[in-house]
Amino acid sequence: MNADEDYSPPRVWTWDQPSGGNFAAINRPIAGPTHVKELPVGRHPLQLYSLGTPNGVKVTILLEELLALGHSGADYDAWLIRILDSEQFGSGFVAVNPNSKIPAMVDRSGPEPVRIFESGAILLYLAERFGAFLPAAGSGHAETLSWLFWQVGSAPYVGGGFGHFYAYAPVKIEYAINRYTMETKRQLDVLDRRLGESEYMAGPDYTIAAMAIWPWYGQLALGEQYVGESFNSAEFLQVEEYRHLQRWAHAIRERPAVKRGRMVNRTMGDPAEQLHERHDASDFETSTQDKIGSKEEQPA
């Protein structure tokens, strides 16, 4: 095992050295703001403060799907929060999300602003607010919520577990990689079995459950997560074996609103697919990074 096999935890843990590999600069054992910085506010009722990671993409997909259905009240401003620059620790962001994680949203459509944080909560809030992508009652409603909360509870094993130790940790720890790879493959099998009996996660209808799951597991199945010069999660996990998941992942990727949603607040990859900030539907045609000039990229 490539780790300190003789390590024994102390009786009391102290924060005396950086931890977290590539993300060490944003990891700390205390909450709260580190600096004063107010958040910008655009012209739309919905203000999103985010980054194009899987959790951020969930929300922008739903917003673009709502707009595609004709819900003009779902128009939004999407502001980029560069987490590697610690912008999530600014006083304005912490006021919206005390947990200092993206995404965070403020709904300014009423007499008093409403803050919403945690991606699952934002999806549920918007689906209920606009009466879309969430069956009203019965088994479809229960199934949608079950799969939504399955994703919320399961994805940390993929991102903070498998993805971190396989791709980003400063040392390769065999036990940790094996532990989280086993759980990730079990979750992929859960999805594959479900999608072998149902067109979408919650049944025949496309719901917020699919929008929550696809940015994590769909993109993983498509080979778009945890890929670098020395690692390739799609090959490592043999994702092509999950044929029902593959069918579902490809079908959702082709939806026009999904294509737009995954571009918003994106800071890596093809500059033509990076829309750092979104303030109008026309921005997809005029303000991608290939048109306005690329900036320093950040990992998702």
Side-chain angles (χ1 to χ4, degrees):
M1 184 180 296
N2 297 323
D4 294 332
E5 296 186 11
D6 295 330
Y7 171 76
S8 295
R11 292 180 65 86
V12 177
W13 182 84
T14 57
W15 184 33
D16 56 8
Q17 60 182 332
S19 63
N22 292 354
F23 302 98
I26 66 172
N27 292 331
R28 59 194 182 111
I30 55 175
T34 61
H35 58 281
V36 175
K37 184 178 181 181
E38 294 303 311
L39 291 174
V41 178
R43 64 186 178 90
H44 297 299
L46 298 178
Q47 300 293 302
L48 177 66
Y49 305 95
S50 192
L51 181 67
T53 66
N55 283 335
V57 169
K58 297 177 193 176
V59 177
T60 50
I61 285 176
L62 175 54
L63 289 167
E64 291 299 326
E65 292 281 12
L66 288 168
L67 291 171
L69 279 184
H71 293 284
S72 59
D75 215 348
Y76 66 103
D77 291 280
W79 302 93
L80 179 62
I81 300 296
R82 294 182 178 272
I83 63 174
L84 294 188
D85 292 340
S86 298
E87 292 181 352
Q88 71 275 29
F89 299 122
S91 57
F93 190 90
V94 174
V96 178
N97 185 355
N99 196 39
S100 294
K101 302 289 185 181
I102 63 91
M105 175 177 280
V106 178
D107 183 354
R108 296 180 174 273
S109 61
E112 296 292 333
V114 175
R115 75 175 188 184
I116 318 102
F117 58 93
E118 295 298 322
S119 57
I122 296 173
L123 293 183
L124 186 56
Y125 176 87
L126 292 173
E128 291 180 338
R129 186 183 184 293
F130 292 99
F133 301 112
L134 177 63
S139 61
H141 182 86
E143 196 77 14
T144 299
L145 294 185
S146 294
W147 284 109
L148 172 63
F149 287 102
W150 175 88
Q151 186 280 317
V152 171
S154 297
Y157 289 97
V158 178
F162 169 75
H164 176 76
F165 287 105
Y166 173 69
Y168 302 131
V171 294
K172 301 301 182 186
I173 304 172
E174 182 181 0
Y175 173 82
I177 293 173
N178 286 342
R179 169 68 180 87
Y180 286 110
T181 298
M182 183 180 298
E183 174 60 14
T184 297
K185 286 186 70 67
R186 189 194 69 82
Q187 292 180 18
L188 293 172
D189 193 47
V190 168
L191 293 173
D192 196 61
R193 289 169 184 264
R194 171 58 178 166
L195 292 166
E197 63 187 18
S198 177
E199 182 177 3
Y200 292 106
M201 296 308 308
D205 297 323
Y206 177 59
T207 68
I208 55 173
M211 299 177 205
I213 293 169
W214 186 86
W216 279 101
Y217 299 90
Q219 292 191 122
L220 185 63
L222 295 170
E224 298 173 357
Q225 293 277 76
Y226 312 122
V227 179
E229 292 183 2
S230 60
F231 53 90
N232 185 319
S233 66
E235 180 182 9
F236 187 72
L237 296 170
Q238 296 181 287
V239 295
E240 71 282 353
E241 294 182 350
Y242 305 100
R243 59 187 184 89
H244 303 299
L245 176 59
Q246 289 290 333
R247 182 268 305 167
W248 173 87
H250 280 87
I252 290 182
R253 182 173 62 178
E254 294 307 308
R255 295 180 66 89
V258 171
K259 292 181 178 180
R260 292 192 297 274
R262 69 191 301 269
M263 293 171 61
V264 179
N265 298 145
R266 186 176 180 85
T267 60
M268 63 179 298
D270 184 352
E273 295 183 356
Q274 294 183 38
L275 182 62
H276 285 192
E277 292 187 355
R278 186 265 188 215
H279 303 290
D280 186 83
S282 64
D283 290 342
F284 291 102
E285 302 299 326
T286 63
S287 299
T288 52
Q289 288 305 109
D290 61 318
K291 296 184 175 66
I292 66 174
S294 61
K295 297 179 182 179
E296 183 179 354
E297 296 181 350
Q298 294 190 41

